[in-house]
């Protein structure tokens, strides 16, 4: 099913609005909501909703769409509870074609009882190139042949972290353009089936070129805000593309993305205090971009009409990111904001910086946070405190780090629980309405006349029904169906 903005009227008959009365009819015209009311009299094709719920469609505020599309096809090692367990999953997997590597995704070694090493993989697979990408994307574990595949010579462990790994991602992520584009289209269809109408794509790539190519090849299923990285910034500035400008079709220019620190699972998020049990020069994590470079870069982007999306996970990195917003005058978001000092919660609000957060990470990371951020987790994933301070939240997945499914994110934000476990720091939960409002790109839950006809049709009331597995009956983007199951 393809998104084609409708140029004729379509009447959705008999809807129940999540934030309003029902039943009502919703008239869509030229890709926008033209009228909302009971028993509209319009000579137009009709779709009977039979009392289904309708609300604005959902956005994922942080994805790496190509990596998500690739990860959906890779060996899943996310369930590994030890290095030995991960090796057993690799040993049982089909061998890759000659000249390629066996790529897995999702391991999290923060709580493993044994250390991942190249020698462990070598003993199981011999000279087969194996590269396992961590669930947080900040490190990779290779066999000796896998390290050679990446262009790495002798390495003491086979575990590549941060600056050792990030420049090498392309070696496993690169596939022919037509293959990548088909996989992204398939992943976009799966997202549409979960009610997603738009994503902020922060893939590490020349996203302007990538999305122009994709838009020329096939109509998009989603709205896309294409982020830009520093190495591609000159091109965006040269073309005078501002955040929000149309690149092609449903694709617009997104923010400048900068990664300033690492991650919790890799123990490289930059913190004020050392990680529990760690010593040495990186015991507080890794600062990848110092303030002397960050603030001028952000000011340059702001002068050219770009918002900034600054990756900061540790509390020290968040403080420095907020310093840079203050000194540069840039607008935008901190991406992740996983550990925040209490005084910086208030600074988020005072500076008008959006907290772009991924609630499912709290469920993935609660145990590793309790170990390595011991005594600090009352201000970890502090969605409730941020919201109470007046900070705008934008929910996302960071797919492939978590699934591209906004209902999963909303549930994690609301329940602070998964798999029947007790809620983790329930004082930092937000209520359903807030979580849903933080997932619709600032539109609120009202189906408003004049708004884009980007809607989701549900078989259950999202204000009361179970959130994980929410039954999505249909999704429309610009008035065209991108998913319909009724």
């Amino acid at each position: 099913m393809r998104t084609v903005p409708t140029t004729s009227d379509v009447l959705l008959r008999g809807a129940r609005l999540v934030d309003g009365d029902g039943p009502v009819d919703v008239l869509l015209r030229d890709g926008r909501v033209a009228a909302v009311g009971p028993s509209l009299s319009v000579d137009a094709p009709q779709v009977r909703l039979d009392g289904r719920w309708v609300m604005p469609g959902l956005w994922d505020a942080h994805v790496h769409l190509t990596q998500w599309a690739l990860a959906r096809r890779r060996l899943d090692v996310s369930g590994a509870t030890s290095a030995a367990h991960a090796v057993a999953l690799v040993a049982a997997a089909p061998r890759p074609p000659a000249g390629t590597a066996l790529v897995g995704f999702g391991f999290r070694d923060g709580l493993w009882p044994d250390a991942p090493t190249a020698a462990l993989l070598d003993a199981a697979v011999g000279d087969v190139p194996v590269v396992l990408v961590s669930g947080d994307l900040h490190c990779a574990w290779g066999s000796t042949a896998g390290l050679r595949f990446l262009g790495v010579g002798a390495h003491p462990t086979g575990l590549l972290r941060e600056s050792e790994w990030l420049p090498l991602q392309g070696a496993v992520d690169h596939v022919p353009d037509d293959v990548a584009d088909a996989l992204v289209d398939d992943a976009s269809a799966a997202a549409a089936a979960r009610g997603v109408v738009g994503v902020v794509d922060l893939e590490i790539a020349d996203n302007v070129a990538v999305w122009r190519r994709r838009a020329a090849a096939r109509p998009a299923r989603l709205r896309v805000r294409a982020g830009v990285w520093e190495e591609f910034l000159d091109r965006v500035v040269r073309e005078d593309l501002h955040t929000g400008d149309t690149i092609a079709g449903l694709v617009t220019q997104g923010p400048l993305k900068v990664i300033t620190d690492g991650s919790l699972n890799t123990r490289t998020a930059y913190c004020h205090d050392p990680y529990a049990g760690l010593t040495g020069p990186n015991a507080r994590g890794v600062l990848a971009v110092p303030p002397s470079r960050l603030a001028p870069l952000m000011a340059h982007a702001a002068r050219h009409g770009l918002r900034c999306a600054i990756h900061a996970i540790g509390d020290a990195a968040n403080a420095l990111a907020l310093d840079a917003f203050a000194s540069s005058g840039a607008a935008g978001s901190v991406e992740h904001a996983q550990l925040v000092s209490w005084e910086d919660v208030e600074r988020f609000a005072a500076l008008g910086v959006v907290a772009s957060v991924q609630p499912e990470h709290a469920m993935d990371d609660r145990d590793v946070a309790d170990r390595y951020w011991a005594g600090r987790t009352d201000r970890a994933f502090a969605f409730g405190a941020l919201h109470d301070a007046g900070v705008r939240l934008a929910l996302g997945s960071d797919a492939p780090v978590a699934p591209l499914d906004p209902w999963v994110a909303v549930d994690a934000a609301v329940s602070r629980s998964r798999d029947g476990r007790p809620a983790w720091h329930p004082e930092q939960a937000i209520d359903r309405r807030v979580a849903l409002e933080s997932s619709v790109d600032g539109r609120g839950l009202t189906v408003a006349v004049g708004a884009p006809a980007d809607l989701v049709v549900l078989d259950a009331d999202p204000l009361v029904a179970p959130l994980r597995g929410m039954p999505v009956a249909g999704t429309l983007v610009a008035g065209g169906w991108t998913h319909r199951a009724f």
Side-chain angles (χ1 to χ4, degrees):
M1 191 174 292
R2 285 279 179 254
T3 297
V4 180
T6 148
T7 55
S8 60
D9 294 355
V10 174
L11 186 64
L12 304 180
R13 181 77 78 183
R16 281 190 278 188
L17 302 185
V18 169
D19 199 21
D21 298 324
V24 298
D25 301 334
V26 181
L27 176 64
L28 311 181
R29 176 180 293 155
D30 296 333
R32 292 193 170 270
V33 177
V36 178
S39 303
L40 294 179
S41 180
V42 180
D43 183 14
Q46 299 184 13
V47 177
R48 300 194 64 85
L49 297 189
D50 299 323
R52 291 181 172 90
W53 283 263
V54 176
M55 61 176 277
L58 300 161
W59 276 73
D60 190 312
H62 187 130
V63 303
H64 304 272
L65 199 51
T66 302
Q67 289 188 61
W68 168 239
L70 292 169
R72 295 173 78 230
R73 300 293 194 276
R74 287 175 171 167
L75 174 65
D76 183 1
V77 292
S78 61
T81 56
S82 65
H85 185 185
V87 168
L89 295 174
V90 170
R95 296 297 179 258
T100 66
L102 170 57
V103 182
F105 175 77
F107 78 90
R108 299 173 186 272
D109 65 328
L111 300 175
W112 283 359
D114 50 355
T117 64
L120 285 174
L121 289 170
D122 293 348
V125 299
D127 205 35
V128 175
V130 175
V131 179
L132 304 182
V133 182
S134 67
D136 59 18
L137 302 177
H138 282 253
C139 72
W141 170 22
S143 66
T144 299
L147 295 171
R148 286 198 302 268
F149 179 85
L150 295 173
V152 177
H155 191 276
T157 65
L159 194 66
L160 308 174
R161 296 184 182 273
E162 297 299 341
S163 59
E164 288 184 309
W165 161 241
L166 293 177
L168 303 178
Q169 285 187 23
V172 294
D173 290 342
H174 179 71
V175 296
D177 289 344
D178 59 336
V179 173
D181 293 352
L183 292 174
V184 165
D185 186 59
D186 184 61
S188 298
R194 301 306 302 136
V196 177
V197 298
V199 298
V200 180
D201 185 15
L202 300 175
E203 190 68 47
I204 303 176
D206 182 357
N207 287 313
V208 170
V210 167
W211 281 105
R212 281 179 176 156
R213 181 187 76 232
R214 289 173 179 166
R218 50 167 69 91
R221 299 179 188 269
L222 307 171
R223 295 190 188 274
V224 175
R225 292 191 188 125
V228 58
W229 294 77
E230 183 180 3
E231 55 263 49
F232 305 108
L233 182 58
D234 285 349
R235 185 254 189 81
V236 170
V237 169
R238 186 170 60 251
E239 294 193 25
D240 197 28
L241 287 169
H242 299 187
T243 297
D245 287 352
T246 297
I247 291 175
L250 296 176
V251 182
T252 58
Q253 180 61 56
L256 169 71
K257 173 69 184 298
V258 183
I259 295 178
T260 67
D261 72 337
S263 69
L264 168 57
N265 274 282
T266 308
R267 279 83 74 201
T268 48
Y270 190 59
C271 299
H272 289 304
D273 302 304
Y275 286 79
L278 297 191
T279 59
N282 293 327
R284 293 172 52 208
V286 175
L287 184 64
V289 179
S292 59
R293 180 175 153 218
L294 179 62
L297 177 59
M298 292 171 63
H300 175 63
R303 285 193 298 271
H304 291 278
L306 294 168
R307 291 174 65 85
C308 296
I310 308 302
H311 166 118
I313 289 181
D315 51 4
N318 274 274
L320 293 173
L322 293 174
D323 289 346
F325 273 108
S327 64
S328 68
S333 60
V334 168
E335 303 296 315
H336 311 304
Q338 289 184 4
L339 185 66
V340 181
S341 300
W342 293 124
E343 58 269 26
D344 285 332
V345 169
E346 302 299 329
R347 285 212 296 159
F348 265 93
L351 292 168
V353 174
V354 175
S356 176
V357 297
Q358 300 77 43
E360 185 70 351
H361 292 1
M363 300 299 92
D364 290 332
D365 294 347
R366 58 186 290 177
D367 295 322
V368 74
D370 281 339
R371 173 177 291 188
Y372 292 106
W373 286 346
R376 293 173 265 177
T377 54
D378 57 329
R379 50 188 175 86
F381 304 92
F383 314 135
L386 289 162
H387 171 69
D388 290 345
V391 180
R392 181 189 159 199
L393 300 176
L395 304 193
S397 65
D398 198 15
V401 182
L404 205 174
D405 184 340
W407 303 105
V408 167
V410 170
D411 182 74
V414 170
S415 70
R416 303 283 293 198
S417 178
R418 189 179 67 193
D419 301 328
R421 297 183 67 181
W424 187 64
H425 288 289
E427 73 279 5
Q428 294 296 353
I430 55 178
D431 69 29
R432 281 187 185 230
R433 180 172 291 274
V434 170
L436 290 168
E437 289 174 344
S438 301
S439 303
V440 292
D441 198 40
R443 285 182 58 184
L445 302 186
T446 301
V447 178
V449 173
D454 301 346
L455 304 172
V456 59
V457 180
L458 304 169
D459 282 325
D461 182 352
L463 292 177
V464 298
L467 290 162
R468 291 180 189 259
M470 175 66 63
V472 177
T475 308
L476 300 108
V477 174
W481 294 99
T482 56
H483 168 71
R484 187 174 175 186
F486 66 99

